[in-house]
Amino acid sequence: MSDTQTAPIKVGLFVTCLADMFRPEVAFATVKLLEQAGCDVEVPAAQTCCGQPAFNSGDNHNSRRIARQTIEAFEGYQYVVGPSGSCIGMLHHYPELFDDRDPWKQRAEHLKARAFEITSFLVDELGFNAIESRFTGTITYHDSCSGLRELGIKQQPRQLLAEVAGADLREMQEAETCCGFGGTFCVKYADISNRMVSNKTGFAADSDADTLVGGDLGCLLNMAGKLKREGRDIQVRHVVELLADMTDTPAIGEADYDLGQPL
Amino acid sequence: MSRADIFANIRRGLRRSEATEAQRETVRQRLQQRPRNIIPSRSQHEHDALVELFVRMAREAAAEVVELDSLEQLPCAVADNLEQKQQHELVLASDSALTELGWAAVHERVECHQRVAQVGDQASLTLAFAGIAETGTLMLFSRPDSPTTLNFLPDTHLVVLSKQAIVGPYEDTWDRLREASPGRLPRTVNMITGPSRSADIEQKLQMGAHGPRQLVIFLIP
Amino acid sequence: MDIKSPEFKQSARIALQDANLQKALGNLKAGFPGKRASAVARMPEFDALRDQARDLKNHILEHLDLYLEAFEARVVENGGQVHWCRTSEDARQTILQICREQNAKTVTKGKSMVTEEINLNEYLEEHGVQPVETDLGEYILQLRGDHPSHIIAPAIHLNLEDVSEAFHEHHHRPKSDDPAVLMAEAREMLRKQFAAADVGITGANFLVAETGSTLIATNEGNGDLTQILPKTHIVVSSIEKVVPTLEDMSLFLRLLARSATGQEFTVYNTLSSGNRRPDDQDGPENFHVVLVDNGRSDMVGTEFQEMLRCIRCSACMNHCPVYGAVGGHSYGWVYPGPMGSVLTPQMIGIEKAALLPNASTFCGKCEEVCPVRIPLPKLMRHWREKEFEKHLSPKAVRWGLGGWAFFATRPGLYRWASAGASRFMRLLGGRKGKIRKLPLAGGWTDHRDMPTPTGKTFMQQWNERQQQEKQR
Ligand code: SF4
């Protein structure tokens, strides 16, 4: 399927709010990978957020409104792909928002069947592993909860990272334990969240890796913020940056550089 | 009327009043036919392999297992075992299979009683109804000649188990138990896997909480 | 037990700073998860057993009235009595009544969370009956006037010194720091109590409809001594514990110990069927089963029905990072951890318990280990829905959500707002790539830096590129 000679696969990119706002590089890296894998990528303008903040706060009314908007925005794409297990996981929850008689339920199911997190899309759906990237350093991988437990993402990023020349993966202890982000949890239960992220940064440090990698910006911002506050010398990056050979930009939370572009 | 309220509430939740005849039939069938659920492959083997598995699992659960060539050897083996533990009193289930053995020959080493157990008893001897290989578990039940206190009060619990009584999964004992006690179960059925223990202090496992500190299984052919 | 769930946040903060508690919680994390994992690895059928257990529980719940009727009929045939109690109050009164009929002065108790739920000990004491907890952990707690913080390891929040201190004070013996000595001391003290008690109260892990039996699973053997020595045995159980047959019970037993302590099997699994038989030399003369509803029947047919599958193994709390950080007492009522965050709102009301189902990142670890596959995060989310519907959510949250949703449902405005926010944060962050203090985000920046956006939003940059390409 990765053969670019065949008709291109039409993919709608689900940008995700955090990539959009905090780290556009992640979305660009995703586009690059998809194009390398022979996809024709478009970015539907009618998308916003997946709706998870409303959904997890029990606000089903607004969750439904956002779900309908997202379903419509991605109508007509063969696949919907995004750089986040959590946001794509949310798209997979959409059918739960509509009852069986609601025609939106069908449409939600249809979206769910086409929605993939980027690493699992490349590996499971396209069988793509022609990664052309180089990264010198030791890395450790944090399994973000939604990707891991809702979408079964575990081996896919590791399989792709193994193709990155020079990257040496060292698993940390409790790679599968939550980092304490949890969306609004990290501000509503700041003390508990702080304990969880401290445990995580401790394990990351113990692994002796110099770069902490993961597939969800929420968790990565959380862990990077903590590492910076603790003054630990560990860089944090989204997995697609390594896979797309886009690691010349500063790591997350580490921008002692000219902002490059005018505000 | 709590009972009526509870049932009404359950039925309201299930969106029906009385159950339909079909539902009743489903329940009747399950209770009568008692279908087995998944039986782990571990417990499905030839009898010899099950005996071996039983011994391994019982030892893993910290039970002592002593293999004897015949039941006749029991009094002597019991005396030897208790000597090691510096015990010399034994409360015996009044089961004739046990009482008729040659205890007289060891009477200088072991003082035998036939009664229910009391606080302070050192050791008891009972006969197991079955051994379950899957987890090295003994099954015993209460009956006039095997009071349940014997299984719990003494410091050392000695149990005789015949190899024939070893089965693979728990399920095999249920059928045997229904046969042995037709109509209704004995008052108390004990499944015992190793000696008493607790990890309630700092999650560190300590043997001998309230039940027997030692469990010794004498395996006879 | 007083309800302290509304103070969850304060309790959690204190717990996080309590060095002794944190040390004790370390024992939990170092023990249970690893042991469970090894036990599961030895049972290749484990996941298939879980599926079957889930389906069987669903079948039972769909026929709950029928199985309960069958159970009741068999208990009576076995010579026992069944008492139905809609509320905690009903249950307490029923139990006291039975104790009074026996002129009971002391009752020994095996471990039972349902008796915690109905606040039995306090009630009995107030009415002149002395309860004596016999499970080692519960015994320690009773001496200290404390409550369980875990459903199977009740004293998990204590360290050796705490136990040593309590024993020294109550047993008047020299202090010891050897757990074996302490346990031997408890054994000796409780022997007398076992023999002297007029009534023994145990819980039940399962109620078998086919035989009218109740089953308890214990490692210590205290539950057995509690039920065979006194003249009267009272089983206090909740209604959802009924299973059809011994075969079905076996399925759950295979899951229970492995999920709970990582043991292959609990040391003592004991079936009790009615009262002592005519020629038996020991065993209780009276057998009572007190069936407690306490809100459970209200869950049937609702989005919370799946919670009734719970077999109280504790795996969800043993693996929960929130429980592991704050311990069980922070939850402020009887049932802690993820299962408690679903059950407690049902029993004490979402008004008082709203903080519990919110105290989760929805990491999903609990669901991953639950032997009966209860979707605990989903059920916690359902409580958040109830909270939202009832307008119980904090105002700031509702307004925040409302404002956010206003933008999120208007893509053009959303673009504009996110570009503005991105620019604002970049201005704040300056050249450092991170912000140490951000207005309105104290929860975040108290503990960590806030990485700043690296440039214009992706949407801005993408559109610019598209424009450039068109011009080319
Ligand atoms: S919810 Fe599941 S994991 Fe938690 S105690 Fe109940 S059965 Fe065990």
Side-chain angles (χ1 to χ4, degrees), chain A residues 138-142 168-172 204 207 209 211-214:
Chain A
T138 48
I139 58 177
T140 195
Y141 196 87
H142 165 67
D168 171 19
L169 179 70
R170 289 194 198 158
E171 296 287 357
M172 66 176 140
S207 76
T211 305
L212 169 60
V213 183

Side-chain angles (χ1 to χ4, degrees), chain A residues 49-72:
Chain A
C49 170
C50 63
Q52 197 166 161
F55 187 63
N56 285 350
S57 303
D59 178 359
N60 281 355
H61 171 70
N62 279 316
S63 310
R64 263 190 291 273
R65 287 171 67 199
I66 294 169
R68 285 193 288 259
Q69 174 180 295
T70 310
I71 291 167
E72 277 183 333

Side-chain angles (χ1 to χ4, degrees), chain B residues 3 9 42 144 149 210-211, chain C residues 72 187 191 264 281-282 298:
Chain B
R3 187 184 188 282
N9 232 15
R42 171 203 290 187
T149 38
H210 296 295
Chain C
E72 178 185 38
R187 178 182 170 105
R191 292 265 126 173
E264 285 285 315
Q281 300 179 58
D282 60 14
D298 298 330

Side-chain angles (χ1 to χ4, degrees), chain C residues 328-341:
Chain C
H329 282 163
S330 298
Y331 291 78
W333 199 59
V334 176
Y335 297 107
M339 57 82 78
S341 295

